[in-house]
Amino acid sequence: MNSAHTLYIRNLNEKVGLKNLRKEIAKIFLEHGYQTLAIYVCKNLKLKGQAFVSMRDSVDLDQVIEKLQTKLLYGKPMILQHAKTDADLVFKQKLSEEEFDKLVQERRRARQQRRKQKTEEISKKRPRDEGPGENEHVSAKHKKLVTNKEEPVVPNKMMILTKLPEDITKEEIVSIFDKFGGFFKVNHVKVRKLALVEFQNEQAALECYKRLGPKLEIKEKPDCLLTFAKN
């Protein structure tokens, strides 16, 4: 396992058994020419819907992510990214199931706490009467609808745009976000009427979210929803 590195997958169908998920993940990877060394699907209730996939270090993980990002698995688009550390599956070999689940859960809580702190720091630095930034060039139809109450959000560099119009194109989605600094790419899952919008970092995504808000009107459809992907 010293010559391996790890991918992290989330947004898996929690209603499917672990054995079937593991089997289908291996099948999808193999169909695209990638041999997996090990697959661990989290079984802890708080971690369900997540998995770690170990591959040889000769495999280009960025290429794997590009090919398999948003690939449907049991009706849900997979969200792939580099694991925070390549040692995840090495730890798995040394620890019991319960110990490994606890390790993953602790790392998840630590990530959420760091994001919460970043959000609080940004909120404190930003003047209360600050108006729209000079980089805000979004047309009125793309601006958020006024809401009386906003729920707290946990930033993530990956955002999910849902309830999209059926006739929208990837280029039209890109045009909404490419005006914001740090924008990276869009993966359009037309059959699910959603798109995964990725920024280079969490702060860039958060600034975009502040400008657009949770609800957008796109092509005269007023109830499109923008949320941060959850870990």
Side-chain angles (χ1 to χ4, degrees):
M1 295 294 294
N2 291 331
S3 61
H5 50 186
T6 309
L7 273 177
Y8 167 57
I9 306 177
R10 64 178 184 272
N11 200 45
L12 298 174
N13 194 322
E14 298 179 12
K15 296 180 181 179
V16 179
L18 303 185
K19 182 177 180 180
N20 288 334
L21 277 175
R22 195 158 39 240
K23 179 181 177 181
E24 289 302 313
I25 290 173
K27 180 180 177 182
I28 288 177
F29 273 68
L30 193 58
E31 286 175 348
H32 288 78
Y34 300 115
Q35 183 73 47
T36 58
L37 296 177
I39 298 174
Y40 177 72
V41 181
C42 300
K43 67 178 183 178
N44 184 291
L45 286 177
K46 293 184 178 181
L47 300 174
K48 290 191 73 174
Q50 303 175 59
F52 294 91
V53 179
S54 174
M55 308 182 75
R56 296 195 182 281
D57 59 7
S58 58
V59 176
D60 185 342
L61 292 190
D62 290 327
Q63 186 182 75
V64 178
I65 292 172
E66 181 69 25
K67 285 188 177 181
L68 299 183
Q69 192 74 276
T70 73
K71 195 77 175 176
L72 290 179
L73 179 61
Y74 289 109
K76 295 188 68 175
M78 296 189 297
I79 300 178
L80 291 80
Q81 64 188 67
H82 290 266
K84 291 296 182 181
T85 167
D86 288 336
D88 284 316
L89 287 178
V90 177
F91 280 125
K92 172 64 180 66
Q93 287 191 328
K94 297 179 180 179
L95 303 176
S96 67
E97 295 281 346
E98 291 75 18
E99 289 172 331
F100 184 71
D101 279 343
K102 183 178 180 181
L103 172 67
V104 175
Q105 193 170 347
E106 288 175 350
R107 289 182 177 179
R108 180 171 179 262
R109 283 198 296 265
R111 288 196 299 270
Q112 290 177 335
Q113 183 61 31
R114 287 196 297 269
R115 287 173 181 152
K116 182 180 178 181
Q117 290 175 349
K118 285 183 181 179
T119 304
E120 292 175 349
E121 290 173 2
I122 293 172
S123 298
K124 289 179 181 179
K125 291 179 181 179
R126 187 175 184 181
R128 293 183 179 180
D129 59 348
E130 180 181 357
E134 61 180 8
N135 291 328
E136 184 178 1
H137 300 302
V138 183
S139 63
K141 69 177 182 178
H142 289 150
K143 291 186 177 180
K144 70 177 180 179
L145 302 180
V146 177
T147 56
N148 294 325
K149 183 179 180 181
E150 290 186 1
E151 296 181 358
V153 296
V154 179
N156 191 321
K157 69 176 184 178
M158 183 82 73
M159 295 195 287
I160 304 176
L161 184 60
T162 58
K163 296 187 177 181
L164 289 170
E166 292 184 0
D167 60 342
I168 195 168
T169 65
K170 179 178 179 179
E171 289 70 25
E172 289 173 317
I173 300 173
V174 170
S175 70
I176 298 173
F177 296 94
D178 65 0
K179 302 174 181 66
F180 295 94
F183 170 72
F184 182 48
K185 66 178 179 179
V186 161
N187 284 301
H188 184 201
V189 188
K190 191 169 185 178
V191 67
R192 301 281 295 174
K193 298 180 183 178
L194 65 81
L196 296 178
V197 183
E198 187 173 352
F199 281 78
Q200 293 177 356
N201 53 61
E202 294 170 2
Q203 185 169 347
L206 181 61
E207 288 302 317
C208 172
Y209 183 85
K210 286 181 179 179
R211 298 288 186 262
L212 296 180
K215 291 187 178 181
L216 289 74
E217 181 179 338
I218 302 175
K219 300 188 73 171
E220 299 183 357
K221 193 174 187 303
D223 59 347
C224 301
L225 298 178
L226 182 65
T227 58
F228 288 105
K230 297 179 180 179
N231 282 338

